């Protein structure tokens, strides 16, 4: 039988606050075991949580970035379960009254994916397994790192929709300053709920939840595997078991996380240690005003304001830092298309070759602007502009000095050009003859020879002009 | 001697802080083998603190509690001094920080004599669930002290400290104070920081004071109250200067007597409390008959809310990070179950079971949420009463102290005995208990005065007036 | 209504283990206790469940970090330490 997959997402994002969500330990990635821990986040008896205003603010921003309503009233609850990475044996989260509700994002094909809610919660610690001794070691540095959980409705019907949504969430959270969205480091984690129903049906099947998806690519692979697994079960007349499954990237399969059926009952109840939070309309408006430009807004600015082709604009905004670099550069020299071309061309090329990130380059957007200015103004050729970029990658330096030192500055003096061109026309008499007889393609060849003869500093535009008039 | 008098004697060098501490430590040695009010006596620390206090006094920099010997209930964290909650689970637990209330006392250079006995994790009304054996009542050592702050009340009654910090979740300061013939003040929820108070039921717990008089309890509260940035549930509304109304004319006040509180009480208790009402009437106060119709739901609502919170609060005790750890357990699940099996006493297990039942899906709305609704209702009913009167007079407990071993094995009977005290915690109000008579066996009878939220001043003054005209009997130790 | 199966389920949620005799005794006690708790079930549900008074966003803790506790202090109350971490038996 053919089946329609139905999917919903739960996305956890670690928020970029200075301190943890319920204590004043620093919120940072990595570090020595149990070095960013206090009595509060290690759940010592007698301690109480203290809600971080910054976390509430970023959660509200996440709401604005996803078209949610930021609620005037939100409250915290306890989710009770025992696990050694959770020192209090309950996670403080928002169950009944989340901070944001009713949002959406439009994905490929113009499909609208509804967001049910965004709530604030605390992250758990980390367990390192020592297989040799058969024990685990608990490190609580991550305990209390502020998270938001974005919960969608089961609106996804294809892998592409899911992947586009996750990509957009990662970008939006990054742009809004909520989360650095590094899936490989676990700062953005995606769980997929997935079920199948016969095509044409509107009754959802039993769903499974897949955890441990650490890239957009593995989300696609995991979903495809799981669709096939469930379809095989259903085709054999079996029943899908509602369970949590873990995706194994290297084996490309999903495995059940629990060997025996465990009755989960989280016994949620209102957190008595944290008063509910009230946001006035003015406070919500204040935060909304602080919202930075989001990727979809930037996309419109590039395509409609700067007339950048849509595909190029999409590539530029894909990484916020890359796009920020571009914005800084065009602010100085408004050569929108030229800079876009250079950045998507030579710069991207070099970054790829060197396995680097735009954040690691030593030159500045101002340098980039300078190169564009020189290329646009005919001071250097576009080809030299690329060469300057390569030199900056290799050795650094100022674009103008590089251009001078390497003889890239174009000679706009036409005196002597006539002689050089005449000499080339004699040398290439054959080609000239053929050109005159209608072989238009040879103009480029003759032009190349002329540039070569004129040297690096020659202005190709002027050579072209002179050559054209002579060959008329 | 009141704390004010003691202060004068210390400041005038009539007594030295070190001698005073030694004097109390000596009495503890003599009497506490029988009373068992302390789990941990801090002899060396107390002398050190007293020396420091004397230095402060000598420099003329004494604060109200400088050099005053105080006991602290063993569920209030003391940095570097073990804090057991009277449980095997925390027998060797040494906190790495001070509770805010303790830090405030320390800042005044008080003298901590030790940590007092209690019901395990403050769950009980007799203090007999202590892992270290229960304390005995200084008025009759065959009788219970009440609980859960039984050690605190007994330590004050037996003269083993000048004042005591206790905690009150459903009557745990007031009821043992009544049973031991002393005064116990439970402040408005949010008045004293809960930072460092090992949680039983977070929405009901409040640190309180046991002392020899209403004025003394207020005197100590003056030091420990106040908004604390470490506890988001502390209030900015606490006014302070809780003794400021002592000695003022109270004859214009209206005293409410809610009839339901007198329905299941012993005759002797009812008579003694009604006699106190008469006393106020003779002063000129208006006695207002009133009603708290939802009292019939209060015990169940209290046990559902407190046990639900307790089940969650006590889940952290798994043997991994601190506290008792079982030797038996191949895997995490086994270890944690054995640790909790061996580390918790029977009553604590009952509460955890009840709490999880109340929160369980399928039961949550019928039990836990209904208890929350009743909580709203009880608060509304109190508000209605306070439109007509200034304070409410009730018995503190339906009985006087009973014989050790008499009730502890019948949980339903134990729970029902909390009827007179739990509504105050449910509504978050302040209340004070003092002795208003003695039963035929000479055991103290307690009455309680409940005030409007953050109006401790009035109940302290009303209580103080009664105490000054009442002939309180010393216990026969 | 409180049978041993329900007691066993509650014990599992509570992470408590009981011997068969203890389970029987606990079941009896829970039956009695729940009978007392049943008082709340006939309460009129028309009223809003109690919640703490809310605080304004402005009053929340400022997002500033401070020094954490030393690792030694954090680990001081247990002997089961390895690599500055709490040792946990394997989770099945």
């Amino acid at each position: 039988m053919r089946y329609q997959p139905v999917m919903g997402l739960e996305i956890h994002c670690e928020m970029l606050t200075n301190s943890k969500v319920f204590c004043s330990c620093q919120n940072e990635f990595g570090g020595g075991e149990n070095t960013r821990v206090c009595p509060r986040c290690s759940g010592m008896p007698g301690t109480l949580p203290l809600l971080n205003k910054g976390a509430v603010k970023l959660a509200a921003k996440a709401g604005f970035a996803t078209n949610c309503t930021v609620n005037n009233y939100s409250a915290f609850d306890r989710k009770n379960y025992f696990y050694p990475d959770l020192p209090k044996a309950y996670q403080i989260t928002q169950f009944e009254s989340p901070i944001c509700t009713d949002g959406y994002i439009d994905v490929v094909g113009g499909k609208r994916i509804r967001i049910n809610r965004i709530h604030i919660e605390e992250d758990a610690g980390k367990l390192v397994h020592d297989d040799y001794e058969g024990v685990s070691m608990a490190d609580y540095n991550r305990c209390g790192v502020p998270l938001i959980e974005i919960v969608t409705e089961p609106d996804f019907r294809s892998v592409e929709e899911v992947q586009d949504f996750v990509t957009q969430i990662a970008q939006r959270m990054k742009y809004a300053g909520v989360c650095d969205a590094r899936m490989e480091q676990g700062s953005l984690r995606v769980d997929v709920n997935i079920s199948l129903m016969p095509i044409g049906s509107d009754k959802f099947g039993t769903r499974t939840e897949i955890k441990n998806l650490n890239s957009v690519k593995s989300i696609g692979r995991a979903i495809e595997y799981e669709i096939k697994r469930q379809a095989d079960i259903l085709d054999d007349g079996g029943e899908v078991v509602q369970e949590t499954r873990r995706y194994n990237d290297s084996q490309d399969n999903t495995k059940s996380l629990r060997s025996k059926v465990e009755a989960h009952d989280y016994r949620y109840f209102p957190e008595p240690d944290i008063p509910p939070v009230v946001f006035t309309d003015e406070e919500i408006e204040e935060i909304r005003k602080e919202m930075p430009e989001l990727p979809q807004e930037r996309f419109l600015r590039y395509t409609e304001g700067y007339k950048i082709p849509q595909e190029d604009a999409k590539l530029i905004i894909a990484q916020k830092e890359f796009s920020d670099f571009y914005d800084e550069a065009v602010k100085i020299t408004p050569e929108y298309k030229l800079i876009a071309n250079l950045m998507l061309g030579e710069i991207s090329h070099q970054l790829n070759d060197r396995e680097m990130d735009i954040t690691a380059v030593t030159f500045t957007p101002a340098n980039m602007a300078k190169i564009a200015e020189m290329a646009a103004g005919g001071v250097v050729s576009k080809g030299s502009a690329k060469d300057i970029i390569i030199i900056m990658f290799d050795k650094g330096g100022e674009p103008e000095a590089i251009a001078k030192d390497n003889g890239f500055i174009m000679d706009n003096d036409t005196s002597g050009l006539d002689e050089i061109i005449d000499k080339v026309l004699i040398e290439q008499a054959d080609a000239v003859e053929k050109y005159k007889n209608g072989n238009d393609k040879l103009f480029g060849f003759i032009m190349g020879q002329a540039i070569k003869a004129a040297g690096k500093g020659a202005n190709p535009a002027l050579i072209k002009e002179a050559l054209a008039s002579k060959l008329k | 001697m009141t704390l004010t008098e003691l202060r004068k004697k210390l400041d005038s060098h009539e007594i030295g802080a070190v001698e005073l501490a030694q004097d109390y430590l000596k009495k503890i040695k003599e009497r506490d083998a029988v009373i068992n009010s302390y789990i941990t006596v801090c002899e060396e620390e107390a002398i050190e603190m007293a020396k420091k206090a004397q230095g402060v006094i000598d420099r003329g920099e004494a604060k109200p509690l400088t050099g005053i010997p105080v006991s602290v209930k063993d569920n209030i964290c003391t940095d570097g001094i073990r804090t057991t909650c009277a449980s095997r689970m925390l027998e060797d637990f040494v906190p790495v920080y001070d509770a805010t209330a303790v830090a405030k006392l320390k800042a005044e250079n008080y003298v901590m004599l030790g940590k007092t006995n209690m019901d395990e994790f403050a769950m009980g009304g007799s203090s007999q669930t202590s892992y270290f054996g229960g304390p005995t009542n200084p008025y009759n050592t065959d009788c219970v002290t009440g609980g859960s702050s039984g050690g605190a009340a007994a330590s004050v009654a037996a003269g083993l400290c000048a004042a005591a910090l206790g905690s009150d979740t459903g009557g745990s300061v007031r009821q043992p104070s009544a049973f031991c013939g002393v005064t116990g003040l439970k402040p408005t929820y949010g008045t004293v920081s809960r930072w460092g108070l090992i949680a039983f039921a977070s929405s009901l717990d409040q640190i309180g004071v046991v002392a020899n008089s209403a004025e003394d309890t207020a005197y100590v509260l003056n030091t420990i109250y106040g908004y604390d940035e470490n506890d988001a549930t502390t209030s900015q509304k606490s006014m302070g200067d809780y003794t400021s109304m002592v000695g003022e004319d109270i004859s214009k006040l209206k005293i409410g007597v809610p009839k339901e509180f007198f329905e299941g009480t012993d005759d002797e208790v009812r008579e003694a409390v009604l006699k106190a009402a008469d006393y106020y009437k003779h002063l000129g106060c208006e006695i207002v008959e009133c009603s708290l119709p939802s009292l019939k739901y209060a015990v169940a609502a209290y046990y559902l809310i407190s046990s639900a919170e307790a089940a969650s609060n006590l889940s952290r005790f798994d043997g991994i990070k601190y506290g008792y750890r079982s030797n038996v357990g191949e895997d995490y699940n086994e270890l944690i179950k054995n640790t909790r099996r061996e580390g918790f006493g029977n009553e604590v297990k009952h509460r955890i079971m009840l709490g999880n039942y109340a929160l369980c899906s399928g039961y949550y709305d019928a039990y836990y949420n209904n208890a929350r609704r009743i909580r709203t209702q009880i608060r509304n009913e109190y508000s209605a009463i306070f439109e007509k009167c200034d304070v409410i007079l009730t018995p503190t407990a339906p009985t006087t102290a009973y014989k050790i071993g008499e009730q502890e094995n019948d949980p339903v009977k134990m729970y029902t005995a909390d009827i007179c005290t739990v509504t105050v915690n449910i509504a978050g109000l302040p209340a004070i208990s003092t002795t208003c008579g003695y039963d035929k066996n000479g055991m103290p009878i307690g009455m309680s005065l409940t005030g409007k939220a953050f109006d401790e001043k009035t109940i302290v003054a009303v209580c103080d007036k009664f105490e000054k005209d009442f002939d309180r009997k010393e216990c026969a130790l | 209504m409180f049978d041993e199966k329900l007691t066993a389920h509650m014990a599992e949620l509570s992470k408590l283990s009981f011997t068969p005799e203890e389970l029987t005794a606990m079941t009896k006690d829970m039956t009695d206790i729940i009978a007392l708790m049943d008082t709340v079930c006939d309460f009129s549900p028309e009223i809003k469940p109690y919640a703490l008074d809310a605080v304004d966003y402005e009053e929340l803790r400022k997002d500033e970090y401070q020094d954490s506790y030393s690792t030694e202090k954090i680990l001081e109350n247990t002997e089961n330490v390895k690599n500055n971490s709490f040792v946990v038996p394997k989770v099945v």
Side-chain angles (χ1 to χ4, degrees), chain A residues 40 42-48 50 78 80 82-84 87-90 140 265 267-270 272-273 275, chain B residues 93 96-97 194-197 202 229-233 312-313 315-316 321-322 332 336 356 359-361 364 368 372:
Chain A
R40 259 185 247 269
S42 61
M44 283 197 193
T47 58
L48 301 165
L50 279 183
R78 290 188 187 175
N80 294 285
F82 290 88
Y83 205 73
K88 300 189 298 297
Y90 57 82
Y140 295 151
D265 189 335
R267 290 153 288 144
Y268 287 98
F269 73 101
D273 291 326
Chain B
F93 174 66
V96 295
Y97 70 100
R194 293 184 295 115
W195 175 253
L197 170 65
S202 315
E229 58 180 20
N230 280 321
D231 176 359
T233 63
S312 175
N313 284 329
S315 292
R316 69 187 67 202
K321 307 158 297 252
Y322 38 70
Y332 170 70
I336 182 169
N356 280 326
L359 291 176
C360 228
S361 64
Y364 180 88
Y368 186 72
R372 285 172 72 202

Side-chain angles (χ1 to χ4, degrees), chain B residues 69-88:
Chain B
V70 174
S71 70
V72 175
K73 189 176 178 179
D74 212 18
N75 59 350
I76 300 173
C77 287
T78 41
D79 191 358
I81 294 170
R82 75 165 180 163
T83 301
T84 69
C85 281
S87 179
R88 185 184 193 192

